[in-house]
Amino acid sequence: MTQAQNPAITPPKAAIKPKELITNGHKRIDNYYYLNERENPEVIKYLNSENTYLDQVLAPVKDLQTKLFDEMKGRIKQQDESVPYKEGAYYYYSRYITGGEYPIYCRKKGSLEGAEEIIFDGNVMAKGHSYYQLGGYEVSDNDELAIFAEDTVSRRLYTLRIKNLKTGKLYPESIPDTEGGSFAWATDNKTLFYIKKDPQTLLGYQVYRHVLGTDPKADVLVYEEKDNQFYMDLGRSKSKKYITIGSDHNGVSTEYRLLEASKPTGEFKVFLPREKGHEYDIVHYNDKFYVRTNWKAENFRLMEVPEGKTTDRTVWKEVIAHRPDVYLANMDVFVNHLVLGERKAGLTNIRVINQKTKADEYLDFGEPAYVAGIGYNPDFNTNILRYSYSSLTTPNSTFDYNMDTKEKTLKKQQEVLGGFDKNNYVSERVYATARDGVQVPVSLVYRKGTKKDGTAPLLQYSYGSYGYSTDPGFSSTRLSLLDRGFIFAIAHIRGGQEMGRRWYEDGKMLKKKNTFNDFVDVSEYLIKSKYTSADKLFAMGGSAGGLLMGAIINQAPQLYRGVVAAVPFVDVVTTMLDESIPLTTGEFEEWGNPKNKAYYDYMLSYSPYDNVEKKAYPNLLVTTGLHDSQVQYWEPAKWVAKLRALKTDTNQLLLHTNMEAGHGGASGRFQALKEIALEYAFILNLVGQRQ
């Protein structure tokens, strides 16, 4: 339903309050700048009025939304359990109960036949909160204590707590504004380290040492990151010997600091000083380190260096040489084996190397489009590798692989209820030629019998930023589209890292437009190849993928019937000029710093908000969260307001603001499905499907 079809439904109109913005001598007028006033009643009223308008417009498909939600929920095994993993004396796992929104974290001592101990019950902990997130936990070496972190606002500011696992009691310490999941115990079972975040920018910038039972105000600052372009993480090495502080400059530079966990009052020492252009990861193994490094190796290579000599690169020894066609993505180490995660021709591979014989092998997966990855393997003294596998037609699967006997054991495959049969679906891998001649991979999936004569509706998805690869994995929610005749396509565009490091470098900074061009060129290929037609082609992307959506509808609005832009980063220039906004400074190496005129001019040429024009746009659903810590809610709100004022069509333009959530949406496993049901109902309605 459009306004033209029902004039009684009137869209909200945001007030125009011009604000002059001058950068590099260039003047912009932002009519909706004031929408960034989160506490302003006028702003809240506007957001609520947009939500009301959306409900009115989508009223004819309210039943469809409910049906989709029930469908998707019905495919989920409500009482479910993860595959246990062994760490120390215990087997750890999580499980869900029927009707439960949150996982229950458990363990058993000695064997899986042991008595269950509940570490955390997410359903109990979430009571009284409209949003709840357990940001990881870490058990002490003596297995008696656990650090954990909670977020009840969805701003990614976690409160750190400590629990006695023997008594079930919480210690009185409560440390706010910490980095969830970034903490570590020392071997004395009483000293712990954590990262403190700046509540304004949300950047982790300080590492503190805390002693159990003491006042957090007395905690000792052991490291402070002075450069606000670096992100930080903290953890314990798999060998348990070291506590590590990692500083990462967003794809440009890395630095690690190490402290022996048995000497918690000691000083963290630099593994190798940071330098622009050098990224590295480290894994401790016996008396040496393996180093994954891009030093003189764009796609990374593997080297090793003895303990105590890490700062001297003249003693680094090459283990795996650089390969121009293979991207070395990650690694894991075991007592007798080294395991590498690699990417070649857009697909993931797992390589196992015997440390003694140096013999190596690649695991065989046998499907044209899939995703496989090294799992969580905390046990060093084992010959069993845990890895994950899925494809567009194969549900998420967990395997154990015996690295000596070569035997694979399927430990668990996601159980999809409701009569799912993978043989009813087909996946393909094709290549679209971009306008500059580059071959862009495209992964597709559809139900058998779907015609490829241009009559099928198609949803094209992508992300294309930060070197994040959008791999062709399984989605049970997606079946609701496939079973209604949709084709689903993932465009592996530049800006991701599917085809290696160069694929990422050619889709960032002053080459960012390659990302948008690739997506549009894939759309044209899919239409030309009769997978769909322009009146049945839909596009979807979120966050930086929402920027992608904004750019493509400015560039080629005629190609798309409808677009879903989730938490979209669309006000690029203004956001990147405001260093008080969370994450801005750390993003300069992805987008550029607009205080530099060259970057300002380039950003301005594609920023979706700045390039809205008086012309026809596709049907558009935009979603955001009032408490979003990554893309502030006002970006999509301003974008919708400007589109509403300038667009010349009568197509739907809808904004949905979750007034209680942030960047990731609702926190419960079922509540999140309601947001997907909304997106699917919007799309299905546009092709006349209300069943």
Side-chain angles (χ1 to χ4, degrees):
M1 185 182 298
T2 65
Q3 188 185 353
Q5 292 168 321
N6 189 347
I9 300 177
T10 305
K13 186 179 263 189
I16 293 176
K17 301 180 182 182
K19 182 177 178 63
E20 186 178 277
L21 303 170
I22 300 176
T23 309
N24 298 317
H26 178 260
K27 181 171 75 173
R28 290 180 296 141
I29 301 296
D30 188 342
N31 288 331
Y32 305 101
Y33 187 89
Y34 72 96
L35 287 177
N36 67 1
E37 299 169 9
R38 195 191 307 270
E39 308 299 326
N40 185 339
E42 180 185 1
V43 172
I44 298 301
K45 182 180 179 181
Y46 168 68
L47 296 176
N48 283 324
S49 67
E50 285 284 2
N51 283 345
T52 300
Y53 175 66
L54 177 142
D55 290 339
Q56 292 173 333
V57 172
L58 294 184
V61 288
K62 194 69 178 174
D63 289 344
L64 176 60
Q65 283 186 60
T66 301
K67 183 177 182 180
L68 288 165
F69 172 77
D70 290 340
E71 253 179 42
M72 293 185 284
K73 184 178 179 181
R75 295 191 191 103
I76 297 173
K77 186 179 180 182
Q78 293 215 21
Q79 191 164 318
D80 205 1
E81 189 173 301
S82 68
V83 181
Y85 62 87
K86 187 175 184 295
E87 188 164 12
Y90 285 83
Y91 287 86
Y92 291 85
Y93 59 98
S94 62
R95 59 181 176 85
Y96 283 98
I97 58 174
T98 301
E101 289 278 3
Y102 299 92
I104 301 171
Y105 297 93
C106 312
R107 67 179 185 175
K108 293 180 178 180
K109 189 173 183 178
S111 75
L112 294 176
E113 284 68 50
E116 180 179 86
E117 299 177 25
I118 294 179
I119 307 171
F120 302 107
D121 186 336
N123 301 295
V124 174
M125 298 164 80
K127 280 184 179 177
H129 302 292
S130 58
Y131 177 92
Y132 183 82
Q133 185 70 43
L134 182 69
Y137 69 92
E138 187 74 24
V139 177
S140 59
D141 290 21
N142 64 2
D143 299 319
E144 295 181 3
L145 307 167
I147 316 166
F148 67 102
E150 300 175 295
D151 177 14
T152 58
V153 184
S154 189
R155 285 287 289 172
R156 304 198 183 191
L157 287 170
Y158 290 85
T159 298
L160 187 148
R161 303 295 306 275
I162 304 156
K163 184 176 182 178
N164 187 310
L165 300 181
K166 292 183 71 177
T167 66
K169 299 283 181 68
L170 292 177
Y171 284 82
E173 294 98 306
S174 179
I175 307 173
D177 301 336
T178 67
E179 183 79 67
S182 279
F183 31 67
W185 286 104
T187 59
D188 62 6
N189 303 301
K190 66 177 183 180
T191 306
L192 61 94
F193 297 82
Y194 63 90
I195 293 177
K196 194 80 170 173
K197 298 179 84 170
D198 181 327
Q200 178 67 31
T201 65
L202 301 185
L203 286 171
Y205 72 109
Q206 293 176 326
V207 176
Y208 281 90
R209 182 177 70 236
H210 174 77
V211 177
L212 190 64
T214 65
D215 186 345
K217 293 179 181 177
D219 288 354
V220 178
L221 177 66
V222 297
Y223 175 67
E224 182 168 3
E225 177 56 67
K226 302 291 188 181
D227 190 333
N228 63 7
Q229 289 187 261
F230 278 80
Y231 297 103
M232 288 206 322
D233 64 74
L234 185 149
R236 186 95 170 262
S237 65
K238 183 174 179 176
S239 67
K240 299 294 186 182
K241 183 173 181 179
Y242 293 101
I243 294 166
T244 65
I245 298 172
S247 297
D248 177 62
H249 189 184
N250 205 17
V252 173
S253 179
T254 314
E255 183 177 70
Y256 281 95
R257 284 174 164 75
L258 306 178
L259 173 69
E260 289 193 34
S262 61
K263 302 173 182 177
T265 59
E267 183 181 346
F268 280 86
K269 296 182 179 179
V270 175
F271 181 90
L272 182 74
R274 65 186 67 177
E275 58 183 71
K276 188 174 176 65
H278 185 211
E279 295 180 85
Y280 66 91
D281 300 320
I282 57 175
V283 172
H284 180 242
Y285 175 69
N286 294 339
D287 59 352
K288 65 182 178 183
F289 289 90
Y290 284 113
V291 187
R292 171 185 167 270
T293 172
N294 70 344
W295 176 41
K296 300 180 181 178
E298 183 178 58
N299 268 342
F300 288 80
R301 56 177 167 162
L302 188 68
M303 306 188 80
E304 63 179 46
V305 58
E307 285 181 314
K309 298 184 178 180
T310 62
T311 58
D312 181 5
R313 266 189 291 191
T314 64
V315 300
W316 287 25
K317 179 182 175 183
E318 187 171 82
V319 179
I320 303 289
H322 175 259
R323 293 153 292 171
D325 61 336
V326 178
Y327 173 70
L328 178 58
N330 51 31
M331 57 183 166
D332 203 349
V333 65
F334 300 82
V335 60
N336 292 321
H337 298 88
L338 174 65
V339 181
L340 304 178
E342 300 179 347
R343 286 185 175 275
K344 184 175 182 179
L347 293 174
T348 51
N349 294 297
I350 297 177
R351 181 181 183 182
V352 179
I353 302 172
N354 188 300
Q355 296 271 39
K356 294 179 179 178
T357 67
K358 303 304 177 186
D360 71 340
E361 62 171 328
Y362 285 89
L363 276 62
D364 180 34
F365 302 115
E367 288 192 86
Y370 64 87
V371 54
I374 302 169
Y376 183 52
N377 293 276
D379 191 359
F380 175 72
N381 295 299
T382 181
N383 63 348
I384 302 298
L385 166 70
R386 172 75 50 86
Y387 73 90
S388 62
Y389 177 84
S390 79
S391 74
L392 292 169
T393 59
T394 304
N396 301 317
S397 308
T398 301
F399 285 88
D400 277 356
Y401 178 69
N402 188 309
M403 294 181 282
D404 291 325
T405 67
K406 321 299 183 192
E407 180 184 3
K408 291 180 186 176
T409 303
L410 176 62
K411 302 298 290 185
K412 179 179 180 176
Q413 186 169 90
Q414 174 190 356
E415 191 173 342
V416 182
L417 306 182
F420 168 76
D421 181 352
K422 66 171 291 183
N423 295 311
N424 290 332
Y425 304 89
V426 180
S427 69
E428 290 184 35
R429 182 79 154 198
V430 298
Y431 290 84
T433 303
R435 62 196 67 183
D436 60 357
V438 169
Q439 296 291 296
V440 181
V442 186
S443 298
L444 301 116
V445 63
Y446 49 88
R447 192 175 175 94
K448 280 183 179 175
T450 301
K451 294 180 179 180
K452 291 186 283 185
D453 59 1
T455 62
L458 185 149
L459 176 59
Q460 181 180 332
Y461 176 84
S462 198
Y463 184 74
S465 290
Y466 302 105
Y468 176 79
S469 298
T470 307
D471 291 310
F474 184 79
S475 166
S476 66
T477 58
R478 191 186 297 145
L479 298 174
S480 291
L481 290 181
L482 304 186
D483 290 347
R484 288 174 172 81
F486 267 75
I487 297 172
F488 182 79
I490 301 173
H492 303 285
I493 56 181
R494 281 172 283 188
Q497 212 154 229
E498 290 93 333
M499 303 293 282
R501 183 68 178 197
R502 178 50 46 190
W503 203 246
Y504 171 39
E505 297 292 342
D506 284 346
K508 64 185 288 197
M509 304 287 273
L510 296 175
K511 296 182 179 179
K512 189 63 205 170
K513 288 183 183 178
N514 284 335
T515 301
F516 317 137
N517 294 342
D518 284 358
F519 192 92
V520 169
D521 294 344
V522 167
S523 298
E524 292 180 336
Y525 167 84
L526 293 171
I527 293 169
K528 183 179 179 181
S529 301
K530 300 292 186 181
Y531 283 98
T532 191
S533 56
D535 66 336
K536 292 186 176 180
L537 176 59
F538 296 83
M540 179 185 283
S543 194
L547 160 64
L548 170 65
M549 296 300 101
I552 62 142
I553 66 170
N554 281 335
Q555 182 184 142
Q558 75 284 355
L559 289 181
Y560 306 98
R561 179 68 180 278
V563 172
V564 177
V567 291
F569 173 44
V570 285
D571 191 13
V572 184
V573 177
T574 304
T575 290
M576 293 305 298
L577 281 167
D578 188 350
E579 296 185 17
S580 71
I581 292 177
L583 309 183
T584 291
T585 55
E587 308 289 287
F588 287 152
E589 295 296 339
E590 181 72 21
W591 315 102
N593 186 341
K595 291 178 181 176
N596 177 313
K597 189 175 186 305
Y599 289 110
Y600 175 82
D601 292 344
Y602 189 75
M603 276 186 205
L604 195 61
S605 72
Y606 70 73
S607 173
Y609 180 66
D610 292 289
N611 286 281
V612 173
E613 299 174 321
K614 285 188 176 181
K615 64 183 179 185
Y617 283 93
N619 294 281
L620 188 62
L621 170 63
V622 183
T623 64
T624 186
L626 183 63
H627 301 292
D628 197 326
S629 60
Q630 289 179 262
V631 178
Q632 308 299 314
Y633 75 88
W634 58 78
E635 292 198 41
K638 288 168 54 178
W639 185 43
V640 167
K642 189 173 183 180
L643 279 164
R644 219 183 271 300
L646 292 179
K647 75 189 191 81
T648 59
D649 58 85
T650 58
N651 289 332
Q652 293 178 10
L653 173 58
L654 306 174
L655 172 65
H656 178 257
T657 304
N658 187 324
M659 304 301 283
E660 297 177 338
H663 198 66
S667 56
R669 61 169 172 162
F670 299 129
Q671 288 302 312
L673 297 178
K674 292 182 178 179
E675 298 178 0
I676 301 173
L678 168 66
E679 295 167 352
Y680 284 8
F682 166 77
I683 292 170
L684 289 164
N685 185 42
L686 291 171
V687 292
Q689 293 197 40
R690 296 183 180 175
Q691 299 296 321

